Amino acid sequence: MFIDMPPGTGDVPLTVFQSIPVDGIIIVTSPQELVTMIVKKAVNMAKMMNVPILGMVENMSYVQCPHCGDKIELFGESKFAETAAAYGVEPLLRLPLAPDLARLADEGNIEACELDLAPIEKLLGKLIPKKKK
């Protein structure tokens, strides 16, 4: 089971860590400088609660230009690898900001999104143990 929690170290993560057996967490960050402070608190909380950190994902890393395919880092240069290394966490994946995804979700038509989900599928396949037959 996956539990998506709000950012930070407030009551929600604390309650989840205390009341549900958690096999591990994925720290989600974004390129903004201020977010590294929140990441530090989340990493420290997970360590204090003895919750394994499976890795880190950077959300809203870039926007891909629809004309030339270049990656445009709207929030400045990513420090994803450095941030992950600073906290001893494996950097797993950088996800783009996908304007179409939000629009399609608002329209109730998210299945029409053409975002390449292969990196997410690969990540989940790596994190979820295979069932033995």
Side-chain angles (χ1 to χ4, degrees):
M1 171 173 38
F2 288 92
I3 301 171
D4 183 11
M5 295 188 286
T9 53
D11 292 339
V12 174
L14 184 58
T15 300
V16 169
F17 292 165
Q18 291 175 334
S19 58
I20 299 174
V22 177
D23 293 329
I25 64 168
I26 297 173
I27 302 288
V28 179
T29 187
S30 62
Q32 296 92 335
E33 196 70 37
L34 182 60
V35 175
T36 57
M37 180 182 71
I38 297 167
V39 166
K40 180 179 181 178
K41 288 180 179 183
V43 168
N44 288 339
M45 177 186 243
K47 288 179 179 178
M48 284 187 344
M49 303 292 294
N50 295 315
V51 176
I53 300 172
L54 304 175
M56 185 180 292
V57 170
E58 184 177 70
N59 198 14
M60 302 185 295
S61 287
Y62 56 89
V63 172
Q64 193 142 12
C65 176
H67 304 291
C68 68
D70 282 354
K71 292 180 179 180
I72 303 162
E73 294 180 323
L74 292 176
F75 300 109
E77 183 180 347
S78 173
K79 295 182 179 45
F80 177 55
E82 296 90 338
T83 302
Y87 300 116
V89 177
E90 183 180 357
L92 299 172
L93 180 65
R94 292 179 69 206
L95 294 170
L97 182 64
D100 282 348
L101 183 61
R103 180 184 54 76
L104 290 168
D106 288 345
E107 293 170 356
N109 194 20
I110 198 163
E111 64 277 356
C113 182
E114 294 182 19
L115 183 64
D116 178 16
L117 298 179
I120 297 170
E121 291 171 13
K122 183 178 177 183
L123 170 62
L124 293 175
K126 181 177 164 182
L127 296 176
I128 299 171
K130 304 276 189 251
K131 288 187 178 183
K132 294 181 182 176
K133 294 182 181 184

